[in-house]
Amino acid sequence: QVQLVESGGGLVQAGGSLRVSCAVSGRIFSNRAMGWFRQAPGKEREFVAAISWSGRSTSYADSVKGRFTISRDNAKSTVYLQMNGLKPEDTAVYYCAISREMYAQVWASGYDGWGQGTQVTVSS
């Protein structure tokens, strides 16, 4: 059974940076795309970023483009989300997800394994 464990969330001031990580076990990681989604209170879960199996292809939501960077280390079965220039509207629970596919997926339906989430709070 696949397990995804996020870490690295926390409280940061606007303009600051955080890096969240997601360690995957129980499934071959290196040939699967990975993604990050987030859900703010009272809102639906939304796509943030995705990365292909090789790491050579990435996709970002317009709201984070230029500020967030997704990356992966296949040797460590870990995916990262580096978040710079954080804004209060980035406050949410961040979830990592593993896809059935090799290439970056922007829809939640493209993923069949999810982490428990890590809270990111950005104060103004």
Side-chain angles (χ1 to χ4, degrees):
Q1 184 173 350
V2 64
Q3 286 190 318
L4 295 86
V5 179
E6 299 100 335
S7 60
L11 174 64
V12 64
Q13 288 189 331
S17 298
L18 274 178
R19 188 178 80 158
V20 291
S21 303
C22 174
V24 179
S25 61
R27 179 186 290 185
I28 296 175
F29 174 84
S30 58
N31 61 356
R32 293 290 183 264
M34 296 292 298
W36 285 97
F37 290 73
R38 67 186 182 187
Q39 187 166 18
K43 295 188 176 181
E44 293 187 352
R45 190 173 297 190
E46 64 174 1
F47 169 76
V48 175
I51 189 166
S52 66
W53 67 278
S54 66
R56 287 195 287 266
S57 176
T58 57
S59 182
Y60 296 94
D62 288 343
S63 59
V64 307
K65 206 170 289 184
R67 299 188 297 123
F68 290 11
T69 302
I70 188 171
S71 61
R72 65 190 295 158
D73 185 337
N74 284 347
K76 296 181 178 180
S77 296
T78 300
V79 63
Y80 306 96
L81 184 68
Q82 177 68 43
M83 302 180 287
N84 299 329
L86 282 161
K87 305 175 181 180
E89 51 263 43
D90 294 318
T91 295
V93 177
Y94 283 71
Y95 298 90
C96 72
I98 187 167
S99 177
R100 310 176 198 88
E101 310 295 337
M102 297 176 69
Y103 296 99
Q105 307 290 309
V106 301
W107 303 107
S109 58
Y111 298 86
D112 62 352
W114 295 83
Q116 82 288 350
T118 186
Q119 177 70 47
V120 172
T121 303
V122 184
S123 63
S124 57

